[in-house]
Amino acid sequence: GVELADQLSELLGLRSNGTNHSEERRNKFAMGEAVRHAGLRAVKQVKSESIDEIEKWIHEEIKPQQDDFKVIVKPMDSAGSEGVTLCRSVDEVRAAFDSILGKVNNLGLLNKAVLVQEYLEGQEYVVDMVSRDGQHKVIAVWAYDRRAANGAGFVCFGQRLLTVQDEPQVAA
């Protein structure tokens, strides 16, 4: 969807995002790196087609302790929570890696690499925005309720639209 819309609008000469940053809007690793390059705090992450490289990164960057090790393993170009796994050990990381790499995802794309990110505790928010000619507008802020259920690590129980009237901090 994102890449095709960018290509078509560019080919038709329409005002659009164009294709210069399509990857940052679709690829989860590139998205995180774009945040980092903008000077904002971003999740620690690595992408690789090598489990050895991922394990090395885990030991150097995450520095796992027996009682608090958590990382997220996911495909880079998928949708929703497809293939997203909360891993609490390096063995679980290996299993998640093997279940992703080389498989075709629900978008019909081959998973050529695997993304591993540090696990961030806390409330998940989604901010919907639109931009035009350098002007950026926040359209909506959502609080997501995701929990472990029925053997899955992330089941979406719902989303709550935050309003300025109900949640004054949204305006900040």
Side-chain angles (χ1 to χ4, degrees):
V2 171
E3 291 100 341
L4 179 59
D6 289 348
Q7 291 168 2
L8 288 173
S9 61
E10 192 172 273
L11 286 171
L12 294 170
L14 302 173
R15 175 180 273 180
S16 74
N17 291 319
T19 57
N20 285 343
H21 298 285
S22 294
E23 184 179 26
E24 288 92 336
R25 287 189 296 278
R26 188 68 201 100
N27 177 291
K28 294 172 184 173
F29 179 81
M31 198 179 298
E33 292 308 299
V35 168
R36 187 179 330 284
H37 292 300
L40 301 171
R41 289 184 305 162
V43 65
K44 292 179 186 176
Q45 61 179 5
V46 66
K47 69 170 180 169
S48 183
E49 50 287 328
S50 162
I51 188 62
D52 293 335
E53 184 178 335
I54 287 173
E55 285 186 37
K56 181 176 186 263
W57 178 85
I58 288 171
H59 290 290
E60 291 174 358
E61 293 296 323
I62 303 299
K63 299 176 178 69
Q65 304 296 316
Q66 287 289 17
D67 57 343
D68 69 353
F69 175 77
K70 290 182 190 174
V71 294
I72 300 294
V73 179
K74 60 175 109 174
M76 291 191 312
D77 294 304
S78 63
S81 58
E82 178 196 6
V84 177
T85 306
L86 171 61
C87 298
R88 298 174 188 272
S89 71
V90 174
D91 286 340
E92 288 182 5
V93 171
R94 280 189 213 105
F97 177 91
D98 289 341
S99 74
I100 294 169
L101 189 68
K103 306 296 187 305
V104 174
N105 64 32
N106 290 342
L107 298 176
L109 302 171
L110 179 66
N111 295 321
K112 297 177 184 175
V114 174
L115 174 59
V116 179
Q117 297 175 320
E118 68 178 319
Y119 180 76
L120 300 176
E121 296 278 352
Q123 177 67 57
E124 178 183 359
Y125 294 95
V126 173
V127 180
D128 294 331
M129 299 181 73
V130 295
S131 300
R132 178 177 160 187
D133 298 330
Q135 296 292 316
H136 311 291
K137 304 288 183 187
V138 174
I139 303 305
V141 179
W142 299 86
Y144 275 44
D145 179 8
R146 294 186 197 266
R147 297 178 243 163
N150 301 323
F154 302 98
V155 174
C156 187
F157 280 74
Q159 303 92 19
R160 187 168 50 94
L161 177 61
L162 305 180
T163 66
V164 174
Q165 292 80 16
D166 297 333
E167 311 274 346
Q169 71 273 18
V170 171

